[in-house]
Amino acid sequence: MENNNTISTLLVANAYGPADVLTFQDFDLGELRNGYARIKTKTAGINPIDARRMTGEFKHSGLPQTFGTEFSGEILAIGENSQGFKIGDAVLGSGDGFTHASVIDVPIGNLIRKPENISWEVAGSVAGVSQTAMTILDEIGDIKSLLIHGASGGVGSITVQLAKERGITVIGTASKRKLEYMESLGAIAVEYGDGLIERIKAAHPEAIDAAVDMIGTEEATQASLATVKPDGVIATIAGKPVSSKRVIPIWVKRNPKNLQFVVDGLASGKFQWEIDSVFPFDKAKDAFSKILEGHTKGKLLLQF
């Protein structure tokens, strides 16, 4: 086993606050553990939860914080039980605590091979949102119609397509400038804002089987309560407090088979993937500031 490149530059926050709290820190990864691969990161997706952890709005660990859950890169070193992977392989997957770093150690079971016809940018932004989308649909169960609030973001975009592939009618809310994009993915697109409930009912007069909120607004909660069947599931992935006990949280379940399904669909052209912006790693503060603004179309990511 080769074991080089032990020094990694991590994105770190030693306090809660805006993007100015972010700093870079060199860290010695040490000896590679069995069952792990050491990856030279090429790209890593940024998700809204990363920014909300930075500000302290969402806390699930203490300080200092590291960030990132998805990546693409090349294997620098690999431990025993390599599962057929080797040094030099191009891979993507979910991290093990952080991926916003120049070199990361990742459980081998989290890896899948990067198809040649998928860019590093797409590969590095797909794992978290794809597995979240598959978790949503698996947990909501057998439905015929689904309301998605915030449908133009990373998770929303692939959830729309996966739902359509299952034969589900999707009503997606988004800002006015993203309605055409939503329609291109196969959703019935509805502009959010004043009058949302009436517009949803006009677009889909029948009561909707289920809803999922990806942005965490009271408007989304009330619109779901008003348009979803009394026994229908209303879920949220936003991780924010909700005003109704009927709204249940859904947390991502990591499943490489689900990720492989989405990646295969991207490689074949069955699914679309939208990259909003790519930031060099040394401009991570700008990237986190942008994602805090909201209104992204697809994914933001860091490039190393």
Side-chain angles (χ1 to χ4, degrees):
M1 177 188 72
E2 189 176 334
N3 189 9
N4 54 6
N5 292 60
T6 66
I7 303 300
S8 178
T9 301
L10 282 67
L11 187 65
V12 176
N14 292 300
Y16 299 112
D20 285 345
V21 303
L22 297 174
T23 61
F24 296 97
Q25 177 181 317
D26 287 341
F27 176 75
D28 190 341
L29 294 170
E31 183 177 353
L32 184 63
R33 291 172 284 176
N34 284 335
Y36 278 71
R38 182 154 293 167
I39 310 294
K40 173 66 180 75
T41 313
K42 292 286 190 178
T43 62
I46 309 172
N47 292 302
I49 196 68
D50 292 311
R52 293 178 55 221
R53 287 180 54 230
M54 174 188 69
T55 62
E57 180 188 357
F58 183 82
K59 297 179 181 178
H60 81 284
S61 61
L63 297 170
Q65 294 189 89
T66 54
F67 303 93
T69 58
E70 57 196 2
F71 71 93
S72 68
E74 292 181 346
I75 296 177
L76 295 172
I78 194 157
E80 297 177 0
N81 303 317
S82 65
Q83 301 179 29
F85 291 100
K86 63 184 185 302
I87 292 170
D89 280 351
V91 294
L92 62 96
S94 303
D96 188 35
F98 63 88
T99 61
H100 294 171
S102 59
V103 182
I104 57 177
D105 287 353
V106 178
I108 294 170
N110 288 12
L111 302 177
I112 69 170
R113 289 178 172 78
K114 184 185 86 67
E116 290 185 1
N117 66 335
I118 290 181
S119 69
W120 288 113
E121 290 76 17
V122 170
S125 61
V126 71
V129 294
S130 295
Q131 292 174 98
T132 300
M134 293 288 280
T135 301
I136 290 167
L137 294 176
D138 289 345
E139 296 202 1
I140 286 177
D142 186 16
I143 58 172
K144 296 187 181 301
S145 56
L146 175 63
L147 172 62
I148 302 176
H149 295 286
S152 65
V155 179
S157 297
I158 191 60
T159 305
V160 169
Q161 296 176 77
L162 289 166
K164 292 294 295 181
E165 198 234 3
R166 297 186 184 195
I168 299 169
T169 297
V170 178
I171 305 93
T173 71
S175 63
K176 184 175 182 178
R177 65 187 179 92
K178 296 172 186 171
L179 297 181
E180 185 176 345
Y181 171 58
M182 284 291 87
E183 291 171 351
S184 75
L185 298 180
I188 299 170
V190 179
E191 183 180 359
Y192 58 61
D194 291 344
L196 175 61
I197 293 172
E198 289 73 21
R199 287 193 295 277
I200 293 172
K201 289 182 175 180
H204 192 276
E206 301 83 10
I208 300 168
D209 290 338
V212 58
D213 176 17
M214 302 187 174
I215 47 179
T217 64
E218 183 61 19
E219 176 188 61
T221 296
Q222 294 305 317
S224 297
L225 292 170
T227 59
V228 173
K229 294 177 179 179
D231 59 348
V233 174
I234 300 177
T236 179
I237 64 166
K240 296 182 179 182
V242 293
S243 61
S244 171
K245 292 181 179 179
R246 191 175 165 193
V247 181
I248 61 171
I250 291 179
W251 303 101
V252 61
K253 292 185 171 81
R254 303 296 179 196
N255 186 326
K257 291 182 179 179
N258 282 345
L259 175 56
Q260 187 71 64
F261 177 82
V262 175
V263 170
D264 289 345
L266 291 170
S268 70
K270 180 168 66 174
F271 300 139
Q272 298 182 48
W273 199 260
E274 189 80 17
I275 300 294
D276 183 290
S277 305
V278 181
F279 290 82
F281 188 38
D282 62 3
K283 300 295 184 182
K285 292 182 180 181
D286 295 338
F288 272 66
S289 293
K290 180 176 175 64
I291 204 165
L292 279 175
E293 295 170 2
H295 311 297
T296 57
K297 179 183 172 183
K299 287 301 298 284
L300 270 72
L301 66 152
L302 299 172
Q303 187 173 55
F304 296 80

